Amino acid sequence: MKPIIEIAQRAGVPEEDLELYGKYKAKLAPELWDKVKHRPNGKLILVTAMNPNPAGAGKTLTTIGLSQALNVIGKKAIAALREPSLGPCLGMKGGATGSGNAELLPADDINLHFTGDIHAITTAHNLLAAMIDNHIHHGNARGLNPKKIVWKRAMDMNDRALRTIVIGLGDGNGTTREDGFMITTASEIMAILCLSENMDDLRERLNRIIIGYDFVDQPVTAKEMNAVEAMCVLLKDALKPNLVQTTEGTPVIVHGGPFANIAHGCSSVIGTKLALKLGDYVVTEAGFGADLGAEKFFNIKCRKAGLTPSAAVVVITVRALKYNAGIAIADLQAENQAALETGFANVLRHVENLRGFGIPAVVAINRFATDLPSELDAVIAMCQHNGIEVAVSNVWAEGGKGGRELAEKVVRAAESNADTFRLLYEDSLSVKEKIETIVKNIYRGSSVVYTAAAVKTLKRIEEMGLSHLPVCMAKTPYSFTDQADRLGAPTDFEIHVSEIRVSAGAGFIVALTGSIMTMPGLPKKPAAETLRLETSAEAIK
C-alpha cells in the first residue's frame, strides 16, 4: 500500500483537504468541493450484473479491476463504491472489497469498522428511536399513537431474533409496545446520507422523516421530536467521503452502503460528484442485478442528483448462467452448454433493460479459474450473435492488465454515447403506476397484487401529497419475480406487494414484495465462524 497522501496527490487532492485516519485511510474535507465544483464532469460508468448466484458474481471485483484497467490504457480513472456492512461480512459474504489483484486496501479495515460511518448512522437512527419513546414517556405532547410508530431500531448485524420485539416491559420502562430492528443498511438515515448534497440538505431531509402517526392519523416527523440537530452532530463526520486505494494505487472514494434488495443500493451522491470532478472516468456500482441496483441507480440516484451515466457494464459469470438455468450449486463446475444457452436469457433481459434507459451496455464475463475455454467461447458467441459488446475480464488474476479489453470497449461505448439517457417514468405518475411500470417494463411481470395494508398506505401517500416521489422496490435479488426460486427470464407473473413504507426524508417510497425483510438472518455456517485474529509477531510487524 502507498500512503494515502500519495494516492490523494494522484487524484489531485491537496493534503490540506485530507482528514487522516492513519496512514492509509482519509476523509475528504467539505472544502474540497468548492475547489473543484467548476470543473467539467468525467464520464460516469455504472457496473451492474445479471441476477447473481448465491456464490456471488464479482461485481465489486470487476468495478475495481475496471478502474485499474482504465488507468492502464491511459485514462485518469477513479472508483466510487459503497462501504461494506458487517452483517453480510460476518454472515454469507465474508467481505466486500474485491480480491486477488483487484481489491480495495486496507481491506480488513474497510470490511470491519472502517472510519465509523455505519456506526454513526446506527447511533443517529437509535437516538431518534430513543427520543420517540422518551417523548411518549414524558406526556406525549404531540399525541403520537404508540400503535402507529413506524420508526424501528437499527443495528449493523444480521440478527433475525430482533425482527419483532416487545419494549417497555417492567415498571418505569416506558410504554409497552411492539417494536423491532432493521439492519443499518436499510435505515432511512443511510439512504438520506447517501442522497444528501451537503449538511444543509442532510438536515432538511432528517427533519422530513416520518416516524409515525398521531391519534387522528396525521404524520409525525423527526423534527417534532427535536432530535435532528443532535443527529446532525452524530453524522457530521460520516457525511464526509472516504478515500482509499486499490491494489494498483487507483484512488477510490468509498462512502455509504445501502443494500439494493431492501434499499436503493448506491454509494453517496457526494462521493460520486466529487469523483466526477477528480477523474476523467468514474466507475461506480449498484448492488445485485440490474433489475434492482441499476433500476434504482437510474430512477432514484440519477433522478435526484442530476447524474447522467455514459455507459453500463453487465457482469456475468459462467456459473451464474448455469444457476439461472436451474442447475444446482453443487453442479455449477461441470460443463453444460445447454444450461449456458438457457441461462443466457437472463443476460439478454438485463441488457435490453439497460438499453431501454438509453445507455450502451458492455457485458463483462468475470473469469474464474475453473471456467472452461469452450464455455467462455460459447458465451462470447451468444453475446456477439445478439449484437452485444463483450469482453472476458481476468482482473482477479492479472489486475488492470486483465481488464484492458473491457476498458477499451467501455471507453468506446462511453464516447459514442449520444446523450440519450432517459428515466423509466415521470414524477407525475401515481405511486401505484410507478410500481406497475417497473414490474411490467423491468421485471416483465403482468400485474401487481397489493395487501389491504399496502392499499391503505397508497391512499395515505396521495393524501400527504407525496405521490411525486420515486419508488424503491424491495425484492429478492435472485429472480426478476418476488420468488427467489423462479430463475432465468420468466414473464407474465404477479408481483405481491406486502407493505408500502414512506421514506419522506430520503425522498422515495419503499414497496416491499414477496417475503423480503429489512433484517436479514445469518446462514447456517456464518463467515464469523472462520474469522480469526492473527497475533503472530510477523503479522504485527
Side-chain angles (χ1 to χ4, degrees):
M1 279 188 291
K2 294 178 172 61
I4 197 63
I5 293 173
E6 184 177 331
I7 300 300
Q9 290 172 345
R10 183 175 296 185
V13 177
E15 186 174 347
E16 63 263 24
D17 291 319
L18 296 178
E19 297 179 8
L20 299 176
Y21 280 62
K23 292 174 63 177
Y24 304 110
K25 309 185 295 274
K27 281 190 170 291
L28 299 174
E31 293 76 16
L32 177 61
W33 176 249
D34 290 328
K35 297 178 181 178
V36 302
K37 64 183 180 182
H38 299 298
R39 297 178 185 176
N41 283 338
K43 293 185 180 297
L44 183 59
I45 311 299
L46 173 68
V47 178
T48 183
M50 65 183 292
N51 289 102
N53 68 88
K59 184 162 50 6
T60 301
L61 169 84
T62 305
T63 304
I64 297 165
L66 175 57
S67 70
Q68 295 180 156
L70 286 165
N71 282 308
V72 166
I73 65 170
K75 306 297 181 182
K76 184 181 180 183
I78 294 176
L81 298 175
R82 295 174 296 163
E83 301 179 42
S85 163
L86 281 174
C89 284
L90 297 176
M92 182 178 292
K93 293 183 75 171
T97 53
S99 59
N101 288 305
E103 186 175 25
L104 297 181
L105 301 175
D108 290 347
D109 289 1
I110 297 168
N111 278 321
L112 292 172
H113 306 289
F114 199 21
T115 57
D117 294 348
I118 295 182
H119 297 315
I121 293 167
T122 303
T123 304
H125 182 113
N126 290 330
L127 169 67
L128 178 55
M131 292 187 74
I132 291 167
D133 288 301
N134 189 60
H135 179 88
I136 296 172
H137 179 70
H138 288 290
N140 196 8
R142 179 58 183 82
L144 183 60
N145 188 341
K147 293 182 180 180
K148 293 187 177 180
I149 296 171
V150 297
W151 190 259
K152 294 187 175 185
R153 284 156 164 84
M155 66 182 296
D156 188 32
M157 191 56 59
N158 292 3
D159 193 344
R160 62 176 59 83
L162 294 178
R163 288 171 182 161
T164 303
I165 63 173
V166 175
I167 64 170
L169 295 174
D171 292 340
N173 294 331
T175 300
T176 301
R177 65 179 182 87
E178 190 175 283
D179 198 5
F181 278 76
M182 62 174 60
I183 193 165
T184 302
T185 46
S187 166
E188 185 177 354
I189 297 178
M190 173 66 82
I192 286 172
L193 182 134
C194 287
L195 290 169
S196 295
E197 301 271 358
N198 48 50
M199 179 55 76
D200 289 339
D201 188 19
L202 177 77
R203 179 180 290 105
E204 291 176 9
R205 290 173 179 272
L206 293 175
N207 276 317
R208 295 199 300 264
I209 292 173
I210 295 173
I211 56 94
Y213 299 85
D214 62 18
F215 286 105
V216 292
D217 219 24
Q218 292 302 301
V220 181
T221 64
K223 181 180 181 179
E224 295 175 89
M225 295 294 103
N226 296 317
V228 171
E229 288 306 315
M231 294 164 70
C232 288
V233 171
L234 292 171
L235 295 169
K236 66 180 180 64
D237 290 323
L239 189 61
K240 303 169 186 175
N242 308 291
L243 182 67
V244 292
Q245 62 188 288
T246 73
T247 46
E248 295 180 4
T250 295
V252 184
I253 294 176
V254 177
H255 196 215
F259 287 169
N261 58 336
I262 52 181
H264 71 290
C266 307
S267 62
S268 76
V269 167
I270 291 177
T272 304
K273 286 194 168 183
L274 265 178
L276 286 167
K277 299 300 183 182
L278 298 172
D280 296 328
Y281 281 81
V282 174
V283 187
T284 192
E285 68 167 339
F288 291 119
D291 57 318
L292 286 171
E295 184 271 312
K296 296 171 186 179
F297 175 81
F298 297 140
N299 284 319
I300 297 177
K301 182 174 178 178
C302 291
R303 181 193 301 267
K304 294 289 185 180
L307 299 173
T308 302
S310 295
V313 174
V314 183
V315 179
I316 72 173
T317 65
V318 167
R319 59 184 184 178
L321 286 167
K322 295 176 187 176
Y323 179 79
N324 273 279
I327 303 301
I329 295 174
D331 299 325
L332 294 179
Q333 305 268 38
E335 184 172 9
N336 192 329
Q337 294 281 343
L340 291 179
E341 293 176 10
T342 301
F344 192 75
N346 187 270
V347 179
L348 274 179
R349 173 78 56 81
H350 287 295
V351 172
E352 289 170 1
N353 285 346
L354 291 168
R355 288 174 173 172
F357 287 98
I359 299 297
V362 179
V363 165
I365 306 173
N366 179 28
R367 183 173 189 170
F368 284 73
T370 54
D371 290 345
L372 299 173
S374 58
E375 292 184 317
L376 291 171
D377 289 343
V379 176
I380 292 170
M382 285 187 283
C383 287
Q384 292 174 339
H385 177 74
N386 286 278
I388 301 170
E389 284 284 1
V390 59
V392 176
S393 174
N394 199 24
V395 297
W396 185 89
E398 299 179 6
K401 292 187 298 182
R404 179 186 286 271
E405 181 188 8
L406 175 62
E408 290 172 345
K409 291 188 174 182
V410 166
V411 168
R412 284 201 295 271
E415 292 183 348
S416 65
N417 189 348
D419 293 328
T420 54
F421 173 63
R422 53 188 174 271
L423 299 172
L424 181 64
Y425 52 78
E426 298 295 330
D427 291 337
S428 58
L429 293 181
S430 69
V431 173
K432 190 174 182 180
E433 288 172 323
K434 290 167 186 169
I435 292 172
E436 292 173 358
T437 298
I438 294 169
V439 168
K440 293 177 181 179
N441 290 274
I442 301 298
Y443 307 159
R444 305 298 200 278
S446 57
S447 60
V448 184
V449 178
Y450 300 89
T451 62
V455 171
K456 184 177 180 180
T457 306
L458 286 172
K459 183 179 179 182
R460 177 181 281 162
I461 289 168
E462 290 182 3
E463 293 170 350
M464 292 190 296
L466 298 176
S467 294
H468 64 284
L469 297 179
V471 169
C472 179
M473 299 293 289
K475 181 182 73 68
T476 175
Y478 296 117
S479 172
F480 280 105
T481 76
D482 56 16
Q483 306 298 314
D485 58 354
R486 292 197 64 180
L487 306 175
T491 58
D492 299 326
F493 51 85
E494 292 180 339
I495 288 287
H496 301 84
V497 175
S498 57
E499 184 180 354
I500 302 285
R501 295 180 183 175
V502 182
S503 294
F508 55 67
I509 306 298
V510 181
L512 283 81
T513 69
S515 59
I516 198 76
M517 297 180 181
T518 55
M519 171 55 85
L522 291 171
K524 186 175 181 179
K525 295 287 288 184
E529 291 186 6
T530 61
L531 197 64
R532 296 291 182 271
L533 178 64
E534 177 60 70
T535 57
S536 69
E538 183 60 32
I540 295 172
K541 181 179 178 182

